Amino acid sequence: MDIAKFKPAIVYTIYIASTPEKVWQALTSAEFSRQYFFGHSVDVDLKIGGAFIVRTPDGALHISGEVIECDPPRRLTVTFNVNWPELVDKLGPTLVTWEIEQAGEAVRLTLLQSQDRELGDDILSGGRSGWPAILSGLKSVLETGRPLVVQMAPPQRMLDALKAMGIKTP
Amino acid sequence: MDEVFKALADPSRRSLLDRLHAKNGQTLNELCEGLAMTRQAVTKHLAILEDANLVSTIRHGREKLHYLNPVPIHQIGERWIRKFERAKLVALGELKRRLEQSDE
């Protein structure tokens, strides 16, 4: 896969009072991810080509991908493909990159969601509503130790747009 | 949070955010097109938006691209919007959007 063909569609930044190592651990462990990622478990084999898997709270496979870039605790890029029938065929693969930088006593965490084609606002509304909640949750867990579970359903406009393209959604 | 409100208090800066909301990932040149602002003024406003974390920039090839970063606005929402109010607010926003659309 040629990652130069991908252009970021979403770039979000958050500052967290933590260390790059702790942010890296929070991004790559199921124990942490369940506390900020809608209860989902992240399971990643941290080497180039390693598997990246996200499971829903009931254990179903939700997102699958592989590790493209891995530079702990600074940069992690994975393919991030939601496991809905025909989604990848119709929309192309999605790349997610996490960049972690020290910024004074805080950590600057940047999330990039990149695509190899232009996607419409309806399709992108999923990431636009989900990522800020995930990032805020991650910040809360790291700064206070308390989980922040946000209840959030996928935006209806995204589900409608996917259905109109013949992609089956749960 | 003070920085966010100060950055949002200026109509020129809000219009830059509107332009990024309409089309994310623009270069400085693209953002300047058709604006009644000098390039220097746009650069200055973008720096203030970036300091407030409302705009994120990345290097993509040889270009510097600007992206709307709504995370601080989401955090403001979390501070004052209760969990059970969110769905009602989304419904009200949708109602407003539909009613205003039908007048066009």
Side-chain angles (χ1 to χ4, degrees):
Chain A
M1 192 168 58
D2 181 8
I3 66 168
K5 282 193 189 139
F6 286 73
K7 188 181 169 189
I10 292 173
V11 180
Y12 290 164
T13 305
I14 195 163
Y15 288 86
I16 303 175
S18 186
T19 64
E21 289 76 15
K22 283 185 186 153
V23 173
W24 179 271
Q25 195 197 355
L27 291 172
T28 55
S29 84
E31 176 204 342
F32 270 101
S33 74
R34 278 194 285 269
Q35 300 179 60
Y36 65 81
F37 191 0
F38 310 125
H40 293 2
S41 315
V42 167
D43 182 9
V44 53
D45 181 10
L46 286 169
K47 61 180 190 224
I48 307 290
F52 173 81
I53 302 286
V54 177
R55 293 183 187 280
T56 58
D58 59 12
L61 181 66
H62 180 44
I63 291 159
S64 56
E66 65 172 294
V67 176
I68 307 291
E69 295 177 302
C70 183
D71 178 15
R74 282 186 290 271
R75 188 180 176 88
L76 179 66
T77 299
V78 297
T79 45
F80 194 94
N81 296 318
V82 175
N83 191 38
W84 293 345
E86 294 181 62
L87 183 131
V88 177
D89 289 344
K90 299 259 166 73
L91 302 183
T94 296
L95 277 188
V96 166
T97 299
W98 297 100
E99 285 177 1
I100 301 168
E101 297 159 273
Q102 191 83 50
E105 290 183 10
V107 170
R108 180 185 145 95
L109 174 66
T110 303
L111 159 99
L112 299 93
Q113 178 190 323
S114 310
Q115 318 288 151
D116 66 355
R117 61 199 75 184
E118 292 278 330
L119 297 182
D121 284 334
D122 290 334
I123 302 290
L124 291 173
S125 67
R128 285 183 184 146
S129 62
W131 288 121
I134 292 167
L135 290 167
S136 294
L138 178 63
K139 180 182 168 77
S140 291
V141 170
L142 284 167
E143 291 184 352
T144 69
R146 282 198 303 275
L148 177 80
V149 178
V150 179
Q151 291 291 333
M152 189 181 278
Q156 195 57 46
R157 57 187 292 206
M158 179 187 79
L159 296 176
D160 292 345
L162 293 174
K163 204 179 287 175
M165 294 176 82
I167 297 165
K168 290 174 200 75
T169 59
Chain B
M1 198 167 274
D2 286 354
E3 278 180 326
V4 176
F5 284 105
K6 275 183 201 152
L8 289 172
D10 181 277
S12 301
R13 289 196 284 273
R14 290 197 299 272
S15 80
L16 286 170
L17 293 179
D18 286 337
R19 288 172 78 101
L20 290 176
H21 186 248
K23 183 174 183 285
N24 221 352
Q26 296 190 57
T27 61
L28 178 60
N29 282 341
E30 286 175 283
L31 276 169
C32 288
E33 264 169 41
L35 272 187
M37 258 189 281
T38 63
R39 196 182 161 86
Q40 288 87 334
V42 174
T43 305
K44 196 188 80 186
H45 286 312
L46 284 173
I48 293 169
L49 289 167
E50 215 180 326
D51 285 345
N53 198 25
L54 289 164
V55 165
S56 300
T57 60
I58 57 153
R59 289 250 154 230
H60 183 69
R62 277 176 302 176
E63 293 178 323
K64 184 180 180 188
L65 303 180
H66 299 77
Y67 288 81
L68 176 62
N69 182 39
V71 173
I73 297 170
H74 176 89
Q75 288 169 322
I76 289 168
E78 273 187 352
R79 180 161 164 177
W80 285 298
I81 299 170
R82 286 169 206 266
K83 206 160 52 180
F84 56 82
E85 291 169 341
R86 194 175 301 275
K88 290 173 195 152
L89 290 170
V90 170
L92 279 174
E94 183 64 15
L95 179 66
K96 174 184 159 71
R97 198 178 64 81
R98 289 201 182 169
L99 289 172
E100 289 177 350
Q101 241 174 10
S102 61
D103 286 347
E104 277 168 12

